[in-house]
Amino acid sequence: MNRPKVYIAKKIPSFVEEYIGKHCDYEMYDNEGRISEETLYEKIKDTEGLLQSGIAIDQKLLDRAPKLKVVSNVSVGYNNFDTDAMKQRNVIGTNTPEVLNDTVADLIFALMLSCARKVSYLDRCVKEGRWNMMDDKSFFGKDVHHATLGIVGMGRIGQDVARRAICGFDMNVLYFNRTRKTEAEEKLGVRYADMETVLSSSDFVLVMTPLSSDTYHLIDEPQFRLMKSDAIFINASRGATVNEKALIKALQEGWILGAGLDVYEQEPVDRENPLLKLDNAVLLPHIGSATEKTRNDMAMLAAENMVKALTGQVPPNIVPELRK
């Protein structure tokens, strides 16, 4: 029986590589940095499976991989998939939801606390010898406990954040979602509201929506102007859900108090991006799931998705747009 041939376009843990090797013939990219387009296209011309992260799976790539049957993302997001093109070629696309929920929720709270209590700014002040915490109001922060958190996008991670907010910090939680989450309302005590109410009533605003044509620049200048002047904005979803120019203007002109970001419209962030010069912005390099255990779990789940798709089984995590 012929074994499926796959290509692994990123480094993965050895135990995940061993698992794939039990079921498939494989090659793996083992260099630092991202794989070049030229190398990738050469490697996938005869492969049935591709395990990767963030590579655009579009018509151009599919034309160079005529035998491709499954693309497995090592991520929960899949905006790198051209699902229409994949449907036409009967290529399955999978992702890695749920295994990273708690880790990302932890990071979101780290951003909220860091912004509210000016952790990054004060760390810099101490290291630069500026020690005047008792008298300098620029050192003062904002309380998180008993504040109102507004969540735009009440998916799994949004619900995990809400649980932390309510159980750990006695926060009030409002949310907006395309469909109401009545079970979350009953279980967690979150309250549904329209988008305008969530934005205008919240001390912290968190965006956790997937990126689609409907959510591109969902948060723009009108939305920032609805927020409180002492509100803190957090984005850990996808950079393009927010108009970054409008966010920069909001921070520079004081429409909102601060922002914590793990995602950006352009990644890596351009060195000339004004965000890099703002003391009221806490910036992270898209590391929401970046703990060793979670990244290992994601890689294993991605491998299982790919192997199952190639061995006559139904992978558990086919993205919704590609489910039959």
Side-chain angles (χ1 to χ4, degrees):
M1 182 176 177
N2 291 332
R3 284 157 54 93
K5 184 176 179 181
V6 305
Y7 188 68
I8 305 165
K10 61 174 289 162
K11 288 185 176 182
I12 58 174
S14 58
F15 70 91
V16 179
E17 183 182 350
E18 289 170 8
Y19 167 78
I20 293 173
K22 290 178 181 177
H23 303 277
C24 307
D25 294 331
Y26 72 92
E27 283 189 79
M28 184 171 71
Y29 181 73
D30 199 30
N31 295 329
E32 297 298 328
R34 290 182 67 83
I35 189 170
S36 70
E37 189 175 86
E38 181 181 3
T39 300
L40 177 66
Y41 289 167
E42 174 61 28
K43 294 294 185 181
I44 63 172
K45 62 184 180 182
D46 294 317
T47 59
E48 298 171 77
L50 172 62
L51 187 146
Q52 52 76 50
S53 178
I55 293 171
I57 309 303
D58 52 17
Q59 194 64 58
K60 184 179 178 183
L61 180 142
L62 295 172
D63 286 343
R64 287 158 175 79
K67 297 181 181 180
L68 196 62
K69 295 179 180 178
V70 57
V71 179
S72 185
N73 263 10
V74 189
S75 72
V76 65
Y78 55 90
N79 53 293
N80 60 312
F81 286 173
D82 182 338
T83 53
D84 290 334
M86 293 170 73
K87 277 181 185 177
Q88 291 175 4
R89 300 287 286 271
N90 292 316
V91 174
I92 295 171
T94 66
N95 64 341
T96 58
E98 299 191 30
V99 294
L100 48 67
N101 293 356
D102 281 319
T103 300
V104 176
D106 285 351
L107 185 86
I108 287 166
F109 246 91
L111 277 172
M112 288 173 58
L113 289 164
S114 184
C115 291
R117 297 304 302 269
K118 301 186 177 182
V119 172
S120 297
Y121 171 68
L122 295 176
D123 171 77
R124 199 158 57 248
C125 288
V126 171
K127 290 173 178 176
E128 293 172 358
R130 291 183 282 155
W131 185 284
N132 190 22
M133 290 184 291
M134 297 301 295
D135 302 317
D136 190 340
K137 287 189 176 181
S138 71
F139 282 32
F140 290 3
K142 174 184 176 72
D143 284 329
V144 177
H145 64 83
H146 297 97
T148 296
L149 168 63
I151 301 176
V152 180
M154 186 58 79
R156 299 182 188 93
I157 296 173
Q159 291 178 43
D160 282 344
V161 173
R163 187 177 296 107
R164 285 161 171 74
I166 293 168
C167 297
F169 291 83
D170 290 321
M171 298 181 81
N172 303 307
V173 179
L174 304 176
Y175 81 94
F176 173 77
N177 203 68
R178 285 182 299 177
T179 55
R180 284 190 69 164
K181 302 284 187 174
T182 53
E183 185 177 342
E185 291 174 29
E186 295 169 3
K187 186 176 179 180
L188 300 175
V190 299
R191 291 184 292 130
Y192 176 83
D194 58 41
M195 177 79 122
E196 290 74 16
T197 300
V198 169
L199 296 178
S200 62
S201 303
S202 299
D203 302 297
F204 298 84
V205 175
L206 167 65
V207 173
M208 282 307 301
T209 62
L211 178 61
S212 68
S213 57
D214 292 332
T215 61
Y216 176 78
H217 283 188
L218 178 68
I219 307 298
D220 208 331
E221 183 167 328
Q223 287 71 41
F224 284 116
R225 288 192 179 277
L226 280 172
M227 296 179 197
K228 295 180 178 182
S229 60
D230 66 344
I232 288 173
F233 176 74
I234 307 291
N235 188 12
S237 57
R238 287 292 182 266
T241 59
V242 178
N243 183 338
E244 205 165 274
K245 290 182 180 178
L247 170 60
I248 291 166
K249 190 174 181 182
L251 291 168
Q252 290 175 332
E253 298 185 7
W255 307 351
I256 60 175
L257 181 64
L261 307 175
D262 190 38
V263 291
Y264 310 86
E265 288 208 71
Q266 177 185 327
E267 297 181 2
V269 176
D270 189 283
R271 292 187 178 185
E272 299 303 314
N273 191 319
L275 284 170
L276 302 182
K277 298 180 175 63
L278 297 177
D279 283 335
N280 58 345
V282 176
L283 311 178
L284 299 178
H286 203 151
I287 60 162
S289 62
T291 67
E292 184 173 1
K293 180 182 184 305
T294 295
R295 286 290 175 87
N296 287 350
D297 289 346
M298 290 169 66
M300 191 66 203
L301 180 55
E304 290 171 350
N305 284 332
M306 181 177 67
V307 167
K308 287 181 179 180
L310 294 174
T311 56
Q313 304 173 70
V314 178
N317 299 297
I318 300 174
V319 303
E321 291 85 345
L322 295 172
R323 292 173 189 160
K324 294 181 180 179

